[in-house]
Amino acid sequence: MSPPTQAKQLLEALFEGHEIRFAMIAGKPLFVAAEVCAAIGISKHRDAVARLDDDEKQTIKITLVPSSETRRNLGGNPNVTGSSVHETGRNLGGNPNVTAVTESGLYHLIFA
């Protein structure tokens, strides 16, 4: 995999009760692999991601703090549950690098 790409905006969507974060990089979504796997019932996400082609996975760096505009629009809480897709500020501590999958990688995980 290539070096981590800085995620400038991190969004979050709900899928059957599971939160899945994703970043738009160069106009294309990159989904946090561990969260996708949890949502579709894959318990060993590292093994599943290892089977993907190199162009279907990427490391992204998440060090975002939601803007005051985003916090204001979401009632002061960047992780408000009333919205299906919103900017999130999670992952501010610990390792900021996460493995993400492309849309193609997402489909391969779902249909594997």
Side-chain angles (χ1 to χ4, degrees), residues 69-112:
E69 179 70 19
T70 299
R71 286 193 302 273
R72 188 169 39 258
N73 290 340
L74 298 173
N77 182 350
N79 294 313
V80 67
T81 57
S83 179
S84 60
V85 175
H86 57 273
E87 190 172 8
T88 180
R90 288 191 297 145
N91 216 49
L92 296 176
N95 185 352
N97 298 329
V98 297
T99 301
V101 296
T102 63
E103 188 172 1
S104 175
L106 173 73
Y107 293 135
H108 278 128
L109 289 173
I110 292 169
F111 296 114

Side-chain angles (χ1 to χ4, degrees), residues 23-81:
M24 297 299 291
I25 308 285
K28 299 185 186 281
L30 289 170
F31 304 90
V32 175
E35 295 168 3
V36 168
C37 289
I40 60 176
I42 296 173
S43 60
K44 296 182 180 182
H45 74 276
R46 286 186 180 99
D47 293 342
V49 171
R51 290 189 293 270
L52 297 176
D53 293 336
D54 286 342
D55 64 345
E56 295 179 319
K57 56 191 172 187
Q58 183 175 337
T59 301
I60 60 174
K61 186 174 186 174
I62 301 173
T63 56
L64 302 172
V65 177
S67 67
S68 60
E69 179 70 19
T70 299
R71 286 193 302 273
R72 188 169 39 258
N73 290 340
L74 298 173
N77 182 350
N79 294 313
V80 67
T81 57

